[in-house]
Amino acid sequence: MNDLDGLDGRQYYHGTSPSSAICISEEGFRILDKKLRIWHGVLGTGIYITRNVEESLSFGGLQSLNHVYVLQLEFTPGTKIARLDEPPDQRMLNSLRREFGHNVLGPRFAQAIPKNKHLKPRELFALIGHLERLDVLDEATTQRYLRRWLQRLGYHGYGHTRNDLGIMLFDVSRLILRSMKRLRRPSQDRFAADLDASALLPVHPREILSDAEAELHDMEEGIRETEADPDFESHLALERGELEHRRKLISQYRQKHSLDKDTL
């Protein structure tokens, strides 16, 4: 399992909703509050990207949307990704167990390691690969420890760089948006079909604005339907804030492209 010190300008994909696509184009990526996320990735909290168009549609619970957009992305120069492409090195895991005890191979691994000891990159990558197989990378405690150790080593994310399983970035500033595309197939079987870049069409600002306005209308309706339930008050406050934030950025995008809302 080798670290990747520089990425080669490959194109990656991220599937998203129309309003999210506009927001990303206006302010860059951001990680939503966990209460607002409709999808949780197995690699933990961050932005997921992949080299495969079809796989990118699985990142974000997009199956229920009528209109899906795909962002074409690249990394900024110098981005460092911890690679999980190879099985974890069992000899290295055994060495860590002998040195620090069995708990070093669990979600709270950092508690088993003395503060004056720092894992080498290959040791940490073997440990991440092991934790992925245990399906605990998305646990909050694991995430907190991993990010701290990876940031200390200068890494910005981790994942699978050779196949389509995806990469998770916790430093979202490393992503460059190259273009926005619309998924060509609007039918219900669009996620079952084999999709590639040929399924992506150019986007006109008027088109994505119309789709985004429809999405915000649905968000507003959902808020209204749950306003009577006091148990959801804290969640509704977050949703209202997110709705207003998206409205502001969509208005900004509309003004940038000199489009009147009444003409959409």
Side-chain angles (χ1 to χ4, degrees), residues 15-207:
T16 192
S17 72
S19 72
S20 293
I22 289 178
C23 291
I24 292 167
S25 74
E26 290 299 301
E27 68 172 0
F29 282 92
R30 61 192 173 97
I31 299 174
L32 293 176
D33 186 285
K34 63 181 180 180
K35 293 181 180 179
L36 293 175
R37 296 179 216 136
I38 59 175
W39 180 83
H40 298 271
V42 296
L43 296 179
T45 301
I47 300 300
Y48 284 70
I49 63 172
T50 175
R51 289 161 47 187
N52 182 280
V53 172
E54 184 176 359
E55 188 67 25
S56 75
L57 304 179
S58 67
F59 302 154
L62 302 174
Q63 286 82 351
S64 63
L65 296 182
N66 293 322
H67 304 283
V68 175
Y69 288 79
V70 176
L71 309 182
Q72 295 177 311
L73 307 161
E74 292 180 9
F75 292 107
T76 58
T79 297
K80 294 178 68 175
I81 301 296
R83 297 175 62 164
L84 306 181
D85 300 310
E86 304 293 340
D89 188 328
Q90 192 59 50
R91 289 179 299 179
M92 198 163 290
L93 293 175
N94 291 338
S95 175
L96 289 172
R97 184 189 294 111
R98 287 193 297 270
E99 184 174 0
F100 302 113
H102 183 74
N103 288 340
V104 76
L105 300 184
R108 300 177 183 271
F109 68 92
Q111 294 181 356
I113 302 173
K115 292 183 178 180
N116 62 348
K117 170 69 177 180
H118 300 296
L119 295 184
K120 298 175 182 178
R122 291 180 182 275
E123 292 175 324
L124 184 58
F125 300 164
L127 184 56
I128 295 173
H130 171 72
L131 296 174
E132 181 187 27
R133 292 192 168 195
L134 294 181
D135 196 24
V136 296
L137 284 180
D138 59 341
E139 293 188 8
T141 301
T142 308
Q143 282 285 294
R144 185 169 64 252
Y145 291 147
L146 283 182
R147 291 189 186 205
R148 187 174 69 205
W149 284 70
L150 285 168
Q151 288 171 341
R152 182 182 297 164
L153 293 169
Y155 286 85
H156 308 105
Y158 54 85
H160 300 271
T161 62
R162 293 184 194 164
N163 57 38
D164 303 329
L165 295 179
I167 298 169
M168 187 278 289
L169 282 96
F170 46 79
D171 184 348
V172 299
S173 67
R174 309 302 301 187
L175 290 169
I176 302 171
L177 175 62
R178 290 305 184 194
S179 66
M180 291 192 295
K181 301 288 185 179
R182 177 173 57 86
L183 191 63
R184 175 170 51 84
R185 296 173 58 89
S187 60
Q188 291 185 350
D189 66 342
R190 63 188 180 275
F191 296 100
D194 291 329
L195 299 174
D196 56 25
S198 66
L200 304 178
L201 298 176
V203 176
H204 189 280
R206 189 182 305 277
E207 178 182 40

